[in-house]
Amino acid sequence: MHDREFGNGTSNGNDNGTGTGTGNCNCNGNGIRNGNGIGNGNGNGNVNGNEKVKGADVIKMKPMDSEVLREKGHIMVDFIADYYRDLQDSPQDFPVLSQVQPGYLRDLLPNSAPDQPESLNELLDDVTKKIMPGITHWQRPSYFAYYASSTSVAGFLGEMLNAGLSVVGFTWQTSPAATELEIIVLDWLAKLLQLPDHFLSTGHGGGVIQGTGCEAVLVVVLAARDRILKQVGKTVLPQLVVYASDQTHSSFRKACLIGGIHEENIRLLKTDSSTNYGLLPESLEEAISHDIAKGCIPFFICATVGTTSSAAVDPLVPLGKIAKKYGIWMHVDAAYAGNACICPEYRKFIDGVENADSFNMNAHKWLFANQTCSPLWVKDRYALIDALKTNPEYLEYKVSERDAVVNYKDWQISLSRRFRSLKLWMVLRLYGSENLRNFIREHVNLAKQFEDYVTQDPHFEVVTTRYFSLVCFRLVPVDDGDEDKCNQRNRELLAAINSTGKIFISHTALSGQFILRFAVGAPLTEEKHVTEAWQIIQKHASKFTRNGNC
């Protein structure tokens, strides 16, 4: 096999490699020589880095060589493109849910890293034979489990460019374009969402791309905490109280604990089917009034648009009025459903966002920006900056005034940051907002089609109102209404479906019921995949329905 060298070296001898650059390397054998070498080597070895070959020092390898990148980059792009092709043409080779057992990979890989370089072809062969069996294929068209990790050609190209430039834009100075493009692109997206002007960079607020929604909720909890402590004093931290529904993402609780909020002061208010599992405003105000009477200090409300469990929507208009009444920071977590709100017909679900202090969505969930890309907007940028800023001497440089530049290191937890706005910019430019809207609409329509399948089968029921592209359903209970038995049957049905490897769905629990989740969002999903999925579900459900059981 002919394989190009990684690095510099001229080949003199009998070998199956080609090289570029200067230097002498006399090798007899089959292998790849990575690096610049002087000396003679016999056998099937590789030369890489600072080593001695027959007593001679080897010149350092060249880890980034433009011609090697060109050649190997083509190979990698072909490998990935073939993967996406095969997901559609040969789905039987890619079980959606990995069927391996824990620890499977330990027996397939060596106990230590190689001393000498190996070829890219060898590595990709290992990916195919050893890594792929342990992959749950989120991009397969029959993936319906969790909210999607959406990909696209534009997002992929943006990731490539990001990796190639490899800038670390923690301050404006470290890469002005990285900072300024992020500001501009998040203003674009805010306008598509029709967010209030105070979330734009032209006012006192602005946007920043966090890695995930978990990071977004953490930084705004810290900002809200510091804001209230400045007003009432740092000694009252044990009295601070936060509020959300019991359907709120688990990252909210984690963010509060990291922020020093006492576990007993995290109020997760009960929801039920009467509000389709949205937070009841009366419950919130009652809890706030009760806490104030006890001497507690309410300071944060997390409202969700599109909960992870069932895509429930908290009513932002009345919640925002309550937050404003009591001077409480309200954050809107729209990680999933916020993407759909670029469509005018779904914008109503974030009505009331004008009373929010912060708003977050995950563009990697449903806007095809690839992992990770989580835009966050704040009403008051200084609340965020004052809570997170650090000013070591080695990062200092003089600007004429505080607002002259944005330093995103002070808008996030970490110092280092990727040039994530590149891929979002490319998605918006290469597809256009109308194409993005139509693709989201198509996913919602596919979910409606699945919902219709469920409602037409008397053995199943839709459990919650479908707002977006998630359908929550289950096998119905038998006449005696034994919920425990019904829950067990639905568990068994889920296990049977996922063990086929043909589709992957997930579950949740609502009001003590075991519920099946069918989430449409994979970029390759088409009508035929939804129909095939329903046929598989019906086939495996038949053993529970044949005798009239749940």
Side-chain angles (χ1 to χ4, degrees), residues 502-523:
K502 294 179 180 179
I503 67 171
F504 181 26
I505 64 175
S506 60
H507 79 281
T508 189
L510 295 170
S511 300
Q513 298 175 351
F514 187 92
I515 307 300
L516 306 178
R517 298 173 73 259
F518 188 92
V520 179

Side-chain angles (χ1 to χ4, degrees), residues 261-282:
I261 307 305
H262 291 203
E263 177 88 58
E264 61 271 21
N265 289 348
I266 301 174
R267 308 278 188 260
L268 300 180
L269 306 177
K270 185 176 177 57
T271 60
D272 58 37
S273 59
S274 67
T275 60
N276 206 38
Y277 297 96
L279 179 57
L280 190 66
E282 291 80 3

Side-chain angles (χ1 to χ4, degrees), residues 319-330:
L319 297 183
K321 290 178 180 178
I322 294 170
K324 189 173 183 180
K325 175 181 176 180
Y326 291 97
I328 299 172
W329 183 301
M330 185 172 85

